Amino acid sequence: MKEFTYTIEDPNGMHARPAGKLATYAKQFDADIRVHAGEKESDGKRLLALMSLGATCGTELHFIISGSDEEAACEQLERFCRESWGRGE
Amino acid sequence: MNTADIKNEKSVRYHGVGISNGCVSGPLRFFRQRRKMGRIRACGDQREERARFEQALLRTREQLDTLQRRAIREIGKKEAEIFEIHAMMLEDEDFLEAVQGALDDGACAETAVERAAEKHAQALRSLGDPYLSARAEDLHDVATQLLRQLSGERPDGDLSTEREPYILVADDLSPSETVTMEKSMILGFVTFGGTPNSHTSILARAMGIPALVGVGAVSEDCDGAYALLDAAEGTLTVSPDAEERCAFEEKQREVNDLAREHDRYLRSLINKPAITRSGRKILIYANVGEGREIAQALLNGADGVGLLRSEFLYLSMDRYPTEDELFASYHDVVQSMQGKRIVIRTLDIGADKQIPYFALPQEENPALGFRGVRICLAREEIFKTQLRAILRASAYGNVSVMVPMIVSEDEVRACRVILNECMEELEREGKKFDHGIEFGIMIETPAAAIMSDEIAREVDFFSVGTNDLTQYTLAADRQNPLVERICEENREPILRLIEMAAEAIHRHDGWIGICGELAADLHLTQRFIDLGIDELSVSVPYLLGVREKVTECK
């Protein structure tokens, strides 16, 4: 199992575009990807579920990844969060 | 904001949130939507309902792709992303599971879709975030499209037959409704619901059209009434009296003078050639996908059409169009050009841009597969039919013909041979055509750029398709979020290939244009001019901006 946390810096929070990109990234991997935000939890590969987390700017997201390609998945997702989220929005 | 002040017996004033400043006046036209298709069918057996749903899902997916392509062309890449989100919502596992669950409970496909959409829309609305609440509407838009597919109904509330410009009034507009609307007639938008984050607002902003959202209900009695829309004040005055009209007109002059100063400056460029400060003339052409966009292109000062995507007739039919049908449609297009040059690109389809009756095989890797000129050379009869139609249309204007997806001079020669055969046939049959018709190719593979010196001997012009050239040069698909940055951050290799092609074609006294998305990138305009580009072809909304930029370049 791999995990990391990321605090949302995008003023718009977990809105449709990043949620869509996050789900697209996550879907490339076999590993099970869970995203926790406070008490809520979502499958990282599902757009509507991610949006329903209601995560806003400042919310801490906790990613828990487990499966055969967890290493790569963790690295990619973390990089996406830190480098691309909200870029050009 | 749900107030309507009764000013006197006639005039009524509504308040809302103004989007993109500006003052417009004109008749109100109500766009009537039927959100609920809700004709609950007697339910077939579950297997049948499931099959109906699957079929509707497939069709809706195709429709979203079409809408996205159209939005990219007409509004902009970023605004078009919403349709990608819609596609993801459509295929979201939770949504599909909810549909499945309802079907298992014995619901018909329509009810299942409505229940599933409402369940998730409710979840998004309950978060209390205005942005996510707006996305609940997106989910309803997706559901409405599914329901339309299920019922086979066409979208209603069609205002496409309106002859005079009007202020559009609607409950709220969905992205699909906004994109399919004929925008040239719309002076402004008024929506009962909607927020500054809703699509009507986003699109109004992108198109620079004044809008008023969240006005509450406007009485249907106002349909057709003359009204004043002041987006800066956030007011709509229906049936104004003489005094109000007078005051508005004065304000309109002030606000619009300012807002339109730049616009007017741009408009002043329309009939002037785009000449750089050092005196070089650059042709500004338009990319168009169907005939009716040409009028818009010419109104926005296009010097010609640099890319006519000739697929439109093929796409609208369920069999191969005949030569006469093709000729009739190209003839109309050519005539509407008022003598200006129009470059018609021959069929550019492939496994990623399917036309069902072509019955192309599914491919592992369509971008590198059987597409464009490869299909035309393999299925010569299709190619000849189209070339003959284009040649016949060339008698009525200034037509150039252009072939996509070239990789070698052999392909170019093969095309040339077929074109010559078509000319000889038409000559024998006594049919008119332009004997000096220009013949060119797209530069969209690295091979074509590298071999451009040899290829240039065979053609009159090149047109660079930067979208494909980028993806083939960098081995990166722009649609793939994992690699899109590679495309954005590596312009230099593309520019060097363009430079090779430009030098080659100029050595052979031809001309070169750019018709891909990069042509509209104002950061690159100076560079393109330095490389010797003669023509930039962009979609209609970018025409004036590029023209302005060229006049500022060295």
Side-chain angles (χ1 to χ4, degrees):
Chain A
M1 193 192 77
K2 302 280 292 178
E3 56 190 316
F4 72 93
T5 53
Y6 169 71
T7 306
I8 301 179
E9 290 164 14
D10 186 328
N12 293 317
M14 175 81 83
H15 59 119
R17 225 172 271 168
K21 287 199 174 167
L22 198 57
T24 310
Y25 272 73
K27 276 186 194 156
Q28 323 254 340
F29 301 101
D30 287 332
D32 181 45
I33 296 165
R34 312 296 305 175
V35 184
H36 298 255
E39 313 224 302
K40 293 189 181 174
E41 188 201 344
S42 148
D43 184 334
K45 299 178 184 178
R46 300 188 175 198
L47 172 70
L48 289 173
L50 283 170
M51 285 166 71
S52 302
L53 287 174
T56 53
C57 184
T59 299
E60 189 171 276
L61 299 177
H62 186 61
F63 289 74
I64 299 182
I65 304 160
S66 50
S68 58
D69 52 2
E70 59 189 31
E71 199 109 349
C74 183
E75 196 206 309
Q76 284 275 4
L77 288 171
E78 189 166 5
R79 189 183 317 148
F80 165 76
C81 288
R82 299 197 194 289
E83 291 178 12
S84 311
W85 192 322
R87 243 181 109 254
E89 291 296 315
Chain B
M1 264 172 288
N2 198 352
T3 42
D5 314 333
I6 308 289
K7 292 274 296 182
N8 57 33
E9 279 187 10
K10 272 184 73 201
S11 97
V12 185
R13 179 166 292 179
Y14 294 91
H15 300 272
V17 182
I19 306 291
S20 58
N21 289 347
C23 294
V24 289
S25 56
L28 298 178
R29 289 276 178 260
F30 278 61
F31 179 77
R32 294 189 180 82
Q33 302 121 310
R34 219 177 330 148
R35 284 265 182 249
K36 292 259 174 205
M37 297 291 141
R39 193 150 35 82
I40 308 293
R41 289 164 17 103
C43 191
D45 71 285
Q46 286 322 106
R47 202 180 315 151
E48 191 189 321
E49 291 306 306
R50 197 153 301 157
R52 290 181 61 231
F53 173 72
E54 304 271 327
Q55 181 69 13
L57 189 67
L58 207 71
R59 291 259 169 75
T60 308
R61 178 72 230 227
E62 285 167 3
Q63 193 183 338
L64 283 172
D65 285 345
T66 312
L67 284 172
Q68 190 186 359
R69 278 201 295 274
R70 187 158 166 196
I72 289 175
R73 225 164 51 222
E74 294 180 4
I75 306 161
K77 195 177 164 214
K78 207 158 150 121
E79 285 72 20
E81 276 180 12
I82 188 62
F83 294 106
E84 223 167 287
I85 302 285
H86 278 192
M88 291 184 76
M89 286 181 170
L90 183 73
E91 287 167 353
D92 185 86
E93 286 87 346
D94 290 307
F95 175 67
L96 293 177
E97 275 166 21
V99 172
Q100 195 61 53
L103 287 172
D104 289 342
D105 288 345
C108 68
E110 284 85 349
T111 312
V113 167
E114 280 184 354
R115 269 195 223 159
E118 187 45 38
K119 179 182 162 196
H120 288 287
Q122 185 60 38
L124 289 175
R125 273 196 299 264
S126 71
L127 298 168
D129 175 306
Y131 185 89
L132 292 173
S133 296
R135 300 291 82 78
E137 293 311 312
D138 287 325
L139 197 50
H140 277 301
D141 188 17
V142 172
T144 305
Q145 292 181 57
L146 270 169
L147 292 171
R148 271 187 196 132
Q149 292 297 347
L150 282 168
S151 66
E153 280 180 63
R154 294 187 58 74
D156 48 2
D158 192 7
L159 285 170
S160 60
T161 52
E162 288 294 327
R163 293 286 165 96
E164 273 182 77
Y166 57 89
I167 298 173
L168 186 136
V169 184
D171 190 352
D172 194 8
L173 292 171
S174 67
S176 55
E177 283 161 349
T178 328
V179 168
T180 47
M181 209 158 265
E182 174 60 49
K183 275 153 297 268
S184 60
M185 286 292 164
I186 299 175
L187 295 166
F189 292 109
V190 173
T191 60
F192 303 168
T195 64
N197 290 326
S198 63
H199 293 296
T200 314
S201 310
I202 294 169
L203 289 163
R205 241 177 256 129
M207 297 187 294
I209 294 177
L212 198 61
V213 302
V215 294
V218 175
S219 161
E220 289 222 6
D221 297 342
C222 302
D223 198 356
Y226 183 80
L228 313 172
L229 169 61
D230 182 341
E233 285 290 320
T235 59
L236 175 76
T237 312
V238 184
S239 308
D241 57 33
E243 202 181 313
E244 285 169 322
R245 222 184 249 235
C246 214
F248 181 84
E249 274 162 18
E250 193 163 321
K251 168 120 196 249
Q252 190 171 23
R253 269 193 296 277
E254 272 172 42
V255 172
N256 294 359
D257 274 1
L258 224 63
R260 293 203 185 138
E261 200 171 337
H262 184 235
D263 193 47
R264 204 171 302 145
Y265 171 66
L266 285 180
R267 304 249 137 220
S268 76
L269 298 173
I270 285 180
N271 292 313
K272 291 189 193 138
I275 296 179
T276 65
R277 286 189 287 153
S278 61
R280 240 188 97 207
K281 182 176 171 185
I282 307 294
L283 296 168
I284 312 293
Y285 283 3
N287 294 340
V288 302
E290 47 190 313
R292 65 180 187 141
E293 285 178 86
I294 288 177
Q296 281 300 312
L298 296 179
L299 279 175
N300 284 283
D303 298 315
V305 164
L307 170 65
L308 174 74
R309 301 180 182 89
S310 68
E311 292 80 50
F312 60 95
L313 194 62
Y314 292 86
L315 287 165
S316 67
M317 299 185 83
D318 52 11
R319 56 167 172 82
Y320 292 103
T322 65
E323 180 186 319
D324 284 342
E325 285 166 342
L326 287 168
F327 166 66
S329 84
Y330 299 150
H331 169 263
D332 292 349
V333 165
V334 169
Q335 286 233 308
S336 67
M337 286 302 299
Q338 303 166 8
K340 292 176 170 169
R341 184 196 270 149
I342 176 167
V343 179
I344 304 182
R345 181 180 68 186
T346 58
L347 264 181
D348 190 20
I349 58 162
D352 52 340
K353 273 191 266 178
Q354 278 274 13
I355 297 177
Y357 57 86
F358 272 73
L360 296 174
Q362 285 295 330
E363 291 177 28
E364 279 279 305
N365 199 344
L368 304 183
F370 191 50
R371 51 173 295 196
V373 73
R374 300 168 182 185
I375 295 175
C376 289
L377 288 176
R379 287 155 79 165
E380 213 180 297
E381 70 293 349
I382 298 173
F383 195 31
K384 271 186 123 171
T385 306
Q386 187 182 28
L387 287 176
R388 284 177 52 108
I390 295 172
L391 280 168
R392 285 170 59 194
S394 73
Y396 301 87
N398 183 359
V399 176
S400 306
V401 60
M402 169 166 86
V403 182
M405 272 306 284
I406 291 287
V407 298
S408 70
E409 54 175 318
D410 284 348
E411 282 174 341
V412 179
R413 274 201 213 102
C415 292
R416 184 84 237 193
V417 166
I418 296 170
L419 185 69
N420 289 344
E421 275 171 25
C422 293
M423 288 181 167
E424 282 159 22
E425 286 168 19
L426 291 173
E427 186 78 49
R428 274 200 302 277
E429 295 163 22
K431 293 192 170 120
K432 285 191 298 178
F433 64 93
D434 174 5
H435 289 71
I437 188 170
E438 278 189 322
F439 171 68
I441 65 148
M442 299 267 298
I443 299 281
E444 49 191 341
T445 64
I450 293 164
M451 301 307 290
S452 54
D453 197 49
E454 284 80 355
I455 294 174
R457 287 184 214 132
E458 311 287 331
V459 301
D460 301 303
F461 67 94
F462 286 157
S463 184
V464 185
T466 53
N467 304 2
D468 274 334
L469 188 60
T470 301
Q471 95 162 349
Y472 294 137
T473 304
L474 300 172
D477 175 3
R478 295 175 313 143
Q479 309 288 347
N480 179 346
L482 292 168
V483 298
E484 68 184 335
R485 280 178 78 172
I486 296 179
C487 296
E488 282 158 22
E489 289 166 3
N490 294 282
R491 298 286 185 227
E492 198 53 34
I494 320 303
L495 291 167
R496 291 205 194 164
L497 288 172
I498 296 175
E499 184 172 25
M500 288 175 76
E503 284 175 5
I505 195 79
H506 287 147
R507 266 197 298 279
H508 296 280
D509 301 320
W511 58 274
I512 181 165
I514 296 180
C515 65
E517 259 174 47
L518 283 192
D521 186 336
L522 301 182
H523 299 108
L524 293 173
T525 313
Q526 180 68 58
R527 189 70 197 278
F528 288 145
I529 292 170
D530 294 342
L531 294 180
I533 295 301
D534 302 292
E535 173 253 332
L536 293 167
S537 193
V538 299
S539 55
V540 173
Y542 301 112
L543 281 167
L544 287 171
V546 172
R547 185 172 290 270
E548 179 186 29
K549 184 72 192 181
V550 166
T551 61
E552 290 165 0
C553 283
K554 283 181 280 184

